[in-house]
Amino acid sequence: MAASVNAFSKVFCRVLPSFSRPFRHYQSCLQKLPLKPSCPAPVLFVQSNQFFCKAASLQCETTAEPEEKPSRYQDKPWDYLESEEYIERYGTSPVWRGYRRNHKGSIPPQKTRLTCIRGKKICGNPCPICRDPDVIVHHQNVKLLQQFICPHSGEVYDATYTGVCRKQQKMLNRAIQKARDQGLLSFQIPHVDFSGQDYSNTHDAVGYTPPPSSTSAETWYTWYRKITPDPNEVAKIRKMYKPYLKR
Protein backbone atom coordinates (compact mmCIF):
# COMPACT_ATOMS: atom_id res chain seq x y z
CA MET A 1 0.00 0.00 0.00
CA ALA A 2 2.79 2.43 0.90
CA ALA A 3 4.62 1.61 -2.35
CA SER A 4 1.55 2.38 -4.45
CA VAL A 5 1.05 5.71 -2.62
CA ASN A 6 4.68 6.67 -3.25
CA ALA A 7 4.38 5.80 -6.96
CA PHE A 8 1.17 7.79 -7.29
CA SER A 9 2.75 10.82 -5.59
CA LYS A 10 5.76 10.69 -7.92
CA VAL A 11 3.53 10.58 -11.01
CA PHE A 12 1.36 13.41 -9.66
CA CYS A 13 4.42 15.61 -9.03
CA ARG A 14 5.59 15.05 -12.59
CA VAL A 15 2.21 15.83 -14.18
CA LEU A 16 1.34 18.81 -11.95
CA PRO A 17 3.64 21.42 -13.69
CA SER A 18 2.12 20.66 -17.09
CA PHE A 19 -1.35 21.54 -15.70
CA SER A 20 -0.34 24.49 -13.53
CA ARG A 21 1.53 26.42 -16.26
CA PRO A 22 -1.43 26.85 -18.68
CA PHE A 23 -3.70 27.70 -15.78
CA ARG A 24 -1.41 30.52 -14.67
CA HIS A 25 -1.23 31.74 -18.25
CA TYR A 26 -5.02 31.76 -18.41
CA GLN A 27 -5.23 33.81 -15.21
CA SER A 28 -2.76 36.38 -16.54
CA CYS A 29 -4.88 36.72 -19.72
CA LEU A 30 -7.96 37.47 -17.64
CA GLN A 31 -6.10 40.10 -15.60
CA LYS A 32 -4.63 41.91 -18.59
CA LEU A 33 -7.80 41.89 -20.70
CA PRO A 34 -10.89 42.89 -18.71
CA LEU A 35 -14.07 41.43 -20.13
CA LYS A 36 -16.97 43.64 -21.14
CA PRO A 37 -20.51 42.80 -20.01
CA SER A 38 -21.50 41.98 -23.57
CA CYS A 39 -18.59 39.56 -24.07
CA PRO A 40 -19.20 35.84 -23.50
CA ALA A 41 -17.67 33.99 -20.61
CA PRO A 42 -14.17 32.60 -21.22
CA VAL A 43 -14.14 29.07 -22.56
CA LEU A 44 -11.30 26.66 -21.91
CA PHE A 45 -10.59 23.78 -24.23
CA VAL A 46 -7.71 21.35 -24.38
CA GLN A 47 -5.69 20.81 -27.54
CA SER A 48 -2.28 19.08 -27.68
CA ASN A 49 -2.03 19.13 -23.87
CA GLN A 50 -2.19 22.95 -23.76
CA PHE A 51 -4.81 25.39 -22.53
CA PHE A 52 -5.88 28.29 -24.77
CA CYS A 53 -7.90 31.30 -23.78
CA LYS A 54 -10.47 31.58 -26.54
CA ALA A 55 -12.35 34.52 -25.05
CA ALA A 56 -9.08 36.40 -24.41
CA SER A 57 -8.05 36.02 -28.05
CA LEU A 58 -11.43 37.36 -29.16
CA GLN A 59 -11.05 40.26 -26.76
CA CYS A 60 -7.60 41.02 -28.20
CA GLU A 61 -9.03 41.21 -31.70
CA THR A 62 -11.84 43.54 -30.67
CA THR A 63 -9.61 45.87 -28.62
CA ALA A 64 -6.96 46.19 -31.34
CA GLU A 65 -6.60 49.70 -32.69
CA PRO A 66 -8.38 50.07 -36.00
CA GLU A 67 -6.14 51.02 -38.91
CA GLU A 68 -6.73 54.39 -40.49
CA LYS A 69 -8.65 53.93 -43.70
CA PRO A 70 -7.32 55.91 -46.66
CA SER A 71 -9.49 58.71 -47.96
CA ARG A 72 -11.83 57.84 -50.81
CA TYR A 73 -10.64 61.02 -52.53
CA GLN A 74 -7.00 59.92 -52.47
CA ASP A 75 -6.81 59.43 -56.25
CA LYS A 76 -8.90 62.50 -57.13
CA PRO A 77 -8.71 65.01 -54.25
CA TRP A 78 -10.35 67.76 -56.36
CA ASP A 79 -13.66 65.85 -56.35
CA TYR A 80 -14.07 66.49 -52.61
CA LEU A 81 -14.40 70.26 -53.12
CA GLU A 82 -17.39 69.66 -55.42
CA SER A 83 -19.11 67.09 -53.20
CA GLU A 84 -22.16 67.72 -51.04
CA GLU A 85 -20.16 66.76 -47.95
CA TYR A 86 -17.76 69.64 -48.48
CA ILE A 87 -20.53 72.13 -49.22
CA GLU A 88 -22.39 71.08 -46.08
CA ARG A 89 -19.31 71.48 -43.92
CA TYR A 90 -17.62 74.59 -45.35
CA GLY A 91 -20.14 76.15 -47.71
CA THR A 92 -18.58 78.74 -50.02
CA SER A 93 -15.88 79.85 -47.54
CA PRO A 94 -12.31 78.47 -47.60
CA VAL A 95 -11.28 75.63 -45.32
CA TRP A 96 -9.29 77.94 -43.02
CA ARG A 97 -12.13 80.42 -42.48
CA GLY A 98 -13.22 80.56 -38.83
CA TYR A 99 -10.26 78.50 -37.60
CA ARG A 100 -8.75 79.67 -34.31
CA ARG A 101 -5.33 78.58 -33.15
CA ASN A 102 -4.93 77.43 -29.58
CA HIS A 103 -2.09 79.25 -27.83
CA LYS A 104 -1.29 80.53 -24.40
CA GLY A 105 -1.82 84.20 -23.71
CA SER A 106 -3.46 86.91 -25.76
CA ILE A 107 -0.65 87.31 -28.31
CA PRO A 108 -0.26 84.40 -30.78
CA PRO A 109 3.25 83.06 -31.48
CA GLN A 110 5.15 84.19 -34.56
CA LYS A 111 5.21 80.67 -36.02
CA THR A 112 2.68 77.87 -36.15
CA ARG A 113 3.43 74.37 -34.86
CA LEU A 114 5.85 72.18 -36.77
CA THR A 115 3.28 69.46 -37.52
CA CYS A 116 -0.11 68.36 -36.21
CA ILE A 117 0.38 64.59 -36.61
CA ARG A 118 3.35 62.85 -35.02
CA GLY A 119 3.21 59.17 -35.83
CA LYS A 120 -0.32 58.11 -34.90
CA LYS A 121 -0.91 60.91 -32.40
CA ILE A 122 -2.92 63.97 -33.44
CA CYS A 123 -2.71 67.20 -31.48
CA GLY A 124 -5.76 68.63 -29.73
CA ASN A 125 -6.54 71.34 -32.28
CA PRO A 126 -5.10 70.31 -35.69
CA CYS A 127 -4.71 72.84 -38.49
CA PRO A 128 -7.41 73.31 -41.18
CA ILE A 129 -5.75 70.76 -43.49
CA CYS A 130 -4.77 68.12 -40.92
CA ARG A 131 -8.18 68.08 -39.24
CA ASP A 132 -9.95 66.92 -42.42
CA PRO A 133 -8.40 63.79 -44.00
CA ASP A 134 -10.29 64.44 -47.25
CA VAL A 135 -8.51 67.79 -47.79
CA ILE A 136 -5.41 66.69 -49.70
CA VAL A 137 -2.77 69.10 -51.00
CA HIS A 138 -2.06 68.34 -54.66
CA HIS A 139 -0.85 70.51 -57.53
CA GLN A 140 -3.93 69.56 -59.57
CA ASN A 141 -6.31 70.49 -56.74
CA VAL A 142 -6.55 74.04 -58.06
CA LYS A 143 -9.66 75.09 -56.11
CA LEU A 144 -7.96 74.27 -52.82
CA LEU A 145 -4.73 76.06 -53.77
CA GLN A 146 -6.63 79.19 -54.78
CA GLN A 147 -7.98 79.45 -51.24
CA PHE A 148 -4.43 80.07 -49.98
CA ILE A 149 -3.52 82.71 -52.60
CA CYS A 150 -4.42 86.39 -52.27
CA PRO A 151 -6.62 87.32 -55.26
CA HIS A 152 -5.29 90.92 -55.32
CA SER A 153 -1.52 90.47 -55.04
CA GLY A 154 -1.13 86.81 -56.05
CA GLU A 155 1.01 86.06 -52.99
CA VAL A 156 0.58 82.94 -50.85
CA TYR A 157 -0.99 83.62 -47.45
CA ASP A 158 1.34 83.25 -44.50
CA ALA A 159 0.84 80.31 -42.15
CA THR A 160 0.13 82.64 -39.23
CA TYR A 161 -2.84 84.05 -41.18
CA THR A 162 -4.45 80.73 -42.18
CA GLY A 163 -3.31 78.70 -39.12
CA VAL A 164 -1.78 75.91 -41.22
CA CYS A 165 1.13 74.01 -39.66
CA ARG A 166 4.57 74.49 -41.17
CA LYS A 167 4.66 71.01 -42.72
CA GLN A 168 1.46 71.62 -44.66
CA GLN A 169 2.62 75.15 -45.55
CA LYS A 170 5.72 73.74 -47.25
CA MET A 171 3.55 71.29 -49.19
CA LEU A 172 1.27 74.17 -50.23
CA ASN A 173 4.19 76.26 -51.50
CA ARG A 174 5.55 73.34 -53.54
CA ALA A 175 2.13 72.48 -54.97
CA ILE A 176 1.42 76.10 -55.94
CA GLN A 177 4.82 76.47 -57.60
CA LYS A 178 4.33 73.21 -59.52
CA ALA A 179 0.81 74.21 -60.58
CA ARG A 180 2.13 77.53 -61.90
CA ASP A 181 4.92 75.78 -63.79
CA GLN A 182 2.40 73.46 -65.46
CA GLY A 183 0.02 76.31 -66.30
CA LEU A 184 -2.77 75.33 -63.91
CA LEU A 185 -2.38 78.59 -61.96
CA SER A 186 -1.59 81.96 -63.48
CA PHE A 187 1.30 84.17 -62.51
CA GLN A 188 0.06 87.54 -61.30
CA ILE A 189 2.72 90.09 -62.24
CA PRO A 190 2.29 93.50 -60.57
CA HIS A 191 1.68 96.45 -62.89
CA VAL A 192 4.45 99.02 -63.02
CA ASP A 193 3.62 102.48 -64.33
CA PHE A 194 6.36 103.89 -66.56
CA SER A 195 4.47 107.02 -67.56
CA GLY A 196 6.89 109.26 -65.65
CA GLN A 197 9.94 107.98 -67.53
CA ASP A 198 11.39 109.86 -70.48
CA TYR A 199 11.95 107.52 -73.44
CA SER A 200 12.50 110.23 -76.04
CA ASN A 201 15.77 110.53 -77.93
CA THR A 202 16.22 114.19 -77.14
CA HIS A 203 18.97 113.48 -74.64
CA ASP A 204 22.45 114.31 -75.85
CA ALA A 205 23.75 110.81 -75.12
CA VAL A 206 21.15 109.03 -77.27
CA GLY A 207 20.07 111.75 -79.68
CA TYR A 208 21.68 113.36 -82.66
CA THR A 209 25.31 114.36 -82.11
CA PRO A 210 25.60 118.12 -82.39
CA PRO A 211 28.38 119.56 -84.51
CA PRO A 212 31.48 120.84 -82.72
CA SER A 213 31.52 124.43 -81.67
CA SER A 214 33.49 126.94 -83.70
CA THR A 215 35.30 128.32 -80.67
CA SER A 216 37.90 126.14 -79.04
CA ALA A 217 37.14 127.47 -75.54
CA GLU A 218 33.85 125.61 -75.35
CA THR A 219 33.71 121.83 -75.15
CA TRP A 220 31.84 119.63 -77.58
CA TYR A 221 29.48 118.30 -74.87
CA THR A 222 28.29 120.19 -71.86
CA TRP A 223 29.28 117.44 -69.39
CA TYR A 224 32.87 117.52 -70.63
CA ARG A 225 33.42 120.95 -69.16
CA LYS A 226 35.79 121.36 -66.25
CA ILE A 227 34.03 121.16 -62.91
CA THR A 228 35.33 123.48 -60.21
CA PRO A 229 34.71 122.09 -56.72
CA ASP A 230 33.69 124.18 -53.77
CA PRO A 231 36.83 125.47 -52.02
CA ASN A 232 35.25 125.14 -48.57
CA GLU A 233 34.57 121.45 -49.12
CA VAL A 234 38.09 120.94 -50.42
CA ALA A 235 39.48 122.59 -47.29
CA LYS A 236 37.43 120.28 -45.04
CA ILE A 237 38.71 117.22 -46.86
CA ARG A 238 42.29 118.42 -46.70
CA LYS A 239 41.98 119.06 -42.98
CA MET A 240 40.45 115.64 -42.39
CA TYR A 241 43.10 113.73 -44.35
CA LYS A 242 46.01 116.08 -43.58
CA PRO A 243 48.20 113.37 -41.97
CA TYR A 244 47.80 111.13 -45.02
CA LEU A 245 48.24 113.75 -47.75
CA LYS A 246 51.63 114.17 -49.34
CA ARG A 247 52.76 117.71 -49.86
Side-chain angles (χ1 to χ4, degrees), residues 41-213:
V43 179
L44 290 177
F45 60 93
V46 181
Q47 183 179 358
S48 302
N49 297 327
Q50 292 182 359
F51 285 88
F52 296 93
C53 182
K54 185 176 181 181
S57 62
L58 294 175
Q59 185 73 8
C60 291
E61 294 177 359
T62 55
T63 57
E65 294 183 359
E67 297 182 357
E68 295 183 359
K69 295 182 180 180
S71 175
R72 49 182 177 169
Y73 302 101
Q74 188 71 29
D75 298 332
K76 297 180 179 180
W78 46 88
D79 290 346
Y80 175 62
L81 276 77
E82 299 178 356
S83 62
E84 296 180 357
E85 183 181 357
Y86 176 84
I87 297 173
E88 183 180 356
R89 183 170 184 178
Y90 300 102
T92 57
S93 59
V95 295
W96 51 266
R97 182 74 67 189
Y99 175 78
R100 181 175 175 82
R101 296 167 57 192
N102 53 346
H103 56 83
K104 295 181 179 179
S106 57
I107 302 175
Q110 298 300 319
K111 292 183 179 180
T112 56
R113 64 173 65 92
L114 184 61
T115 179
C116 299
I117 304 174
R118 292 181 175 87
K120 294 184 179 180
K121 294 183 179 179
I122 304 177
C123 66
N125 186 22
C127 71
I129 296 180
C130 294
R131 66 181 176 182
D132 194 347
D134 294 329
V135 176
I136 301 172
V137 178
H138 196 271
H139 69 278
Q140 294 181 355
N141 197 358
V142 180
K143 289 186 177 181
L144 177 65
L145 300 180
Q146 287 177 347
Q147 297 179 2
F148 294 89
I149 301 176
C150 180
H152 306 288
S153 62
E155 297 181 357
V156 183
Y157 287 133
D158 192 71
T160 55
Y161 180 74
T162 58
V164 178
C165 62
R166 279 180 277 172
K167 180 180 179 181
Q168 296 291 346
Q169 185 69 19
K170 289 181 181 179
M171 295 176 64
L172 279 170
N173 293 335
R174 293 174 184 173
I176 291 172
Q177 185 64 31
K178 190 173 182 180
R180 285 175 173 172
D181 293 341
Q182 295 185 5
L184 302 176
L185 288 174
S186 60
F187 285 92
Q188 192 166 357
I189 302 174
H191 175 70
V192 180
D193 188 14
F194 294 99
S195 59
Q197 302 293 332
D198 184 15
Y199 292 99
S200 62
N201 57 356
T202 58
H203 193 268
D204 295 337
V206 296
Y208 175 72
T209 304
S213 59

Side-chain angles (χ1 to χ4, degrees), residues 211-213 215-226:
S213 59
T215 59
S216 59
E218 297 181 0
T219 57
W220 195 350
Y221 294 107
T222 56
W223 55 85
Y224 284 169
R225 295 174 183 173
K226 185 178 180 180

